[in-house]
Amino acid sequence: QGQLVESGGGLVQPGGSLRLSCIASRMITSVFNPITWAWYRQVPGKQREFIASVDRTGTTNYRDSVKGRFTISRDNARKRVYLQMNSLEPEDTAVYYCNNILAPMSWGRGTLVNVSS
């Protein structure tokens, strides 16, 4: 199936922006393309929560708290999924992960987003 590798996290001030990237390494494009990909996040001690998804047609879905601030996209040729995050809030601080929404693969290590002044 391939490995999921997330990147792009970091420390950012409230109101700032980050762009997260996820690559499905070792996955061939014919397998990648039909998948509905999603971003999730997890705060220590809490359950992982859904953030956004994008299906093979480009149709997107978002958690209410990120609508209008976050944008999910995909690049099938590069086997990548992106999450553009704007107007970040301290409540967005978490480790962010990507995965196949319908048939989750082994989780990657995630990328830490820390929104703090």
Side-chain angles (χ1 to χ4, degrees):
Q1 277 188 315
Q3 179 184 15
L4 298 172
V5 179
E6 300 91 351
S7 62
L11 175 63
V12 62
Q13 292 187 342
S17 299
L18 284 173
R19 188 192 193 208
L20 306 184
S21 177
C22 169
I23 184 168
S25 62
R26 301 198 298 268
M27 180 178 283
I28 59 176
T29 55
S30 61
V31 174
F32 180 93
N33 292 352
I35 292 173
T36 296
W37 291 97
W39 281 96
Y40 303 83
R41 65 188 180 191
Q42 187 170 24
V43 176
K46 295 188 177 181
Q47 286 190 336
R48 188 176 285 130
E49 63 182 20
F50 166 85
I51 299 301
S53 65
V54 56
D55 72 9
R56 63 184 301 172
T57 70
T59 300
T60 58
N61 188 32
Y62 295 93
R63 181 181 192 83
D64 284 347
S65 62
V66 307
K67 285 181 180 178
R69 300 190 298 123
F70 291 9
T71 303
I72 188 172
S73 61
R74 62 191 292 165
D75 183 336
N76 289 339
R78 297 184 178 184
K79 300 179 294 182
R80 288 182 181 268
V81 185
Y82 301 101
L83 186 68
Q84 177 67 43
M85 305 187 297
N86 299 327
S87 301
L88 283 162
E89 304 168 352
E91 293 73 22
D92 297 317
T93 295
V95 179
Y96 285 70
Y97 304 86
C98 69
N99 214 322
N100 178 340
I101 196 171
L102 294 179
M105 303 162 52
S106 296
W107 293 91
R109 294 186 176 182
T111 186
L112 175 63
V113 173
N114 186 357
V115 185
S116 175
S117 55

